[in-house]
């Protein structure tokens, strides 16, 4: 455990140091290059704003109205039949639309059922094995001004579904 | 498709609120959502500026080319449309490596930079190219070696073995990445067929 902890603490400084020394050895004007590259970051962040505002307003309306809960109750019998604990289904849906929302739900599930329970482990695995599709879609495409997304949404959502199903299968095989 | 989902979430939300008596919450949610979006974007400025600055040094020093050369055989298969010497490959690989080590806030700037290169490659059009969607698929199903946030939460709630989900997470995420790539291929060939 402490090994993994110290690994993640050491990794970032190591990476930064490595890039800086590599640049210096290769005679790159490091500080000037840093400033030049950093400049782009500002305009990128600004160009994300309209994409993110549109997406987050829609998502928070959907959640606040109770429509998300309604949808979950509607789907619950199906998941019961597949032996997937109903408690983690909201998490799986939330994971695709809101990163912070999903993290809150995972903490909640772990606090309620215990981190070493089946549900606690399943929630942890679901949280760790997929990323928030709508966020990635909005930020990555938004920053470079892609408006026509083609089949990207379908691919992202199917990837989430596979992540959820494989989490369920792997955790049931290893822990129950 | 994103247009339909966007409108549907909003309209369904309003209709449900009518019957649920949650219209006051929905009103609040509109402005809370907008505010949150701006807050997130501004919070990203610091991360974007820092990592993009650092990446410029790596790029000028030729580090990205070294990285791209190292993994060329694999990346060539995943991104067949990107020419082997193209700078996009270096950024794509940096993005993948950052994800692998759970450095979410470093992965995003590199992913965006890769998208920018891929857009140039696609003639600066405002539609998503095949390679862009593949990069997206890899990112939504991101392979993670160490899910640090989750381990921290498990520790906080007194888990006896907070790291025992590392193995299952790695297996599940490997499946979802392979699955995402296959689905990406499937939809690509389907849309290509439709166009012909």
């Amino acid at each position: 455990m402490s090994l993994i902890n110290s690994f993640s603490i050491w990794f970032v400084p190591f990476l930064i140091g490595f890039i800086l020394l590599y640049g210096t050895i290769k005679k790159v004007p490091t500080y000037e290059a840093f400033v030049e590259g950093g400049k782009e970051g500002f305009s990128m962040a600004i160009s994300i704003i309209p994409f993110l505002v549109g997406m987050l307003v829609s998502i928070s309306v959907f959640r606040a109205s109770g429509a998300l809960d309604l949808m979950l109750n509607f789907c619950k019998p199906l998941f019961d039949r597949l032996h997937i604990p109903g408690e983690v289904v909201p998490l799986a849906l939330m994971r695709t639309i809101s990163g912070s929302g999903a993290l809150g739900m995972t903490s909640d599930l772990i606090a309620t059922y215990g981190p070493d329970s089946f549900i606690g482990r399943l929630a942890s695995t679901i949280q760790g094995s997929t990323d928030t599709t709508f966020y990635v879609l909005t930020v990555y495409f938004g920053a470079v001004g892609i408006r026509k997304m083609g089949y990207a949404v379908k691919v992202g959502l199917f990837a989430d579904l596979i992540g959820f199903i494989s989490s369920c299968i792997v955790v049931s095989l290893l822990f129950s | 498709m994103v247009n339909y989902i966007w409108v549907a979430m909003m309209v369904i939300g309003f209709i449900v609120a009518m019957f649920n008596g949650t219209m006051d919450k929905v009103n609040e949610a509109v402005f809370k959502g907008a505010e949150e979006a701006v807050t997130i974007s501004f919070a990203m400025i610091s991360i974007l500026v820092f990592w993009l600055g650092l990446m410029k040094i790596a790029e000028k020093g030729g580090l990205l080319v070294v990285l791209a050369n190292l993994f060329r055989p694999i990346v060539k298969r995943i991104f067949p449309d990107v020419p082997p010497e193209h700078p996009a490959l270096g950024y794509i690989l940096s993005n993948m490596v950052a994800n692998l080590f759970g450095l979410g806030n470093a992965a995003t700037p590199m992913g965006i930079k890769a998208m920018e290169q891929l857009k140039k490659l696609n003639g600066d059009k405002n539609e998503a190219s095949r390679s862009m969607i593949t990069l997206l698929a890899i990112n939504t199903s991101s392979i993670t070696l160490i899910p640090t946030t989750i381990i921290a939460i498990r520790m906080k709630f007194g888990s006896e073995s907070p790291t025992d989900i590392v193995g299952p997470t790695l297996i599940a995420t490997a499946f979802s990445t392979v699955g995402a790539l296959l689905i990406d291929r499937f939809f690509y060939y389907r849309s290509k067929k439709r166009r012909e």
Side-chain angles (χ1 to χ4, degrees), chain B residues 20-157:
Chain B
N20 242 358
T22 45
M23 209 49 109
D24 53 330
K25 281 186 186 159
V26 165
N27 268 297
E28 207 186 304
V30 171
F31 299 105
K32 274 264 169 67
E35 200 187 312
E36 201 191 324
V38 176
T39 314
I40 291 176
S41 306
F42 271 88
M44 280 178 76
I45 294 178
S46 55
I47 297 160
L48 284 171
V49 169
F50 179 74
W51 283 108
L52 289 180
L54 214 58
M55 286 304 285
K56 198 70 177 182
I57 300 173
E59 190 195 321
K60 287 203 164 166
L63 199 59
L64 291 184
V65 179
V66 174
L67 195 66
N69 282 340
L70 218 58
F71 294 97
R72 174 158 304 153
I74 309 169
V75 185
K76 208 175 66 187
R77 293 246 160 94
I78 303 180
F79 294 93
D81 288 1
V82 183
E85 302 297 330
H86 200 271
L89 287 182
Y91 284 113
I92 290 172
L93 276 161
S94 324
N95 167 263
M96 285 164 92
V97 170
N99 268 326
L100 202 62
F101 290 108
L103 301 176
N105 66 12
T108 309
M110 295 164 192
I112 292 174
K113 204 69 192 160
M115 283 289 180
E116 199 180 70
Q117 294 290 340
L118 291 176
K119 193 188 177 190
K120 272 185 201 156
L121 197 62
N122 196 32
D124 262 331
K125 280 183 259 178
N126 66 355
E127 56 189 286
S129 70
R130 176 192 184 182
S131 311
M132 288 175 170
I133 298 177
T134 308
L135 181 62
L136 188 95
I138 290 173
N139 270 283
T140 57
S141 58
S142 59
I143 289 198
T144 312
L145 283 181
I146 307 155
T148 34
T149 325
I150 273 296
I151 294 173
I153 292 175
R154 292 171 61 78
M155 282 171 79
K156 198 176 111 196
F157 288 104

Side-chain angles (χ1 to χ4, degrees), chain A residues 132-155:
Chain A
T132 318
T133 297
F134 279 95
Y135 180 77
V136 175
L137 201 75
T138 315
V139 169
Y140 281 35
F141 283 174
V144 297
I146 299 294
R147 293 195 203 99
K148 290 178 192 152
M149 303 192 182
Y151 54 92
V153 184
K154 280 181 227 166
V155 172

Side-chain angles (χ1 to χ4, degrees), chain B residues 10-22:
Chain B
M10 206 95 87
V11 173
I12 291 171
F14 292 145
I15 294 168
V16 171
M18 261 185 318
F19 293 102
N20 242 358
T22 45

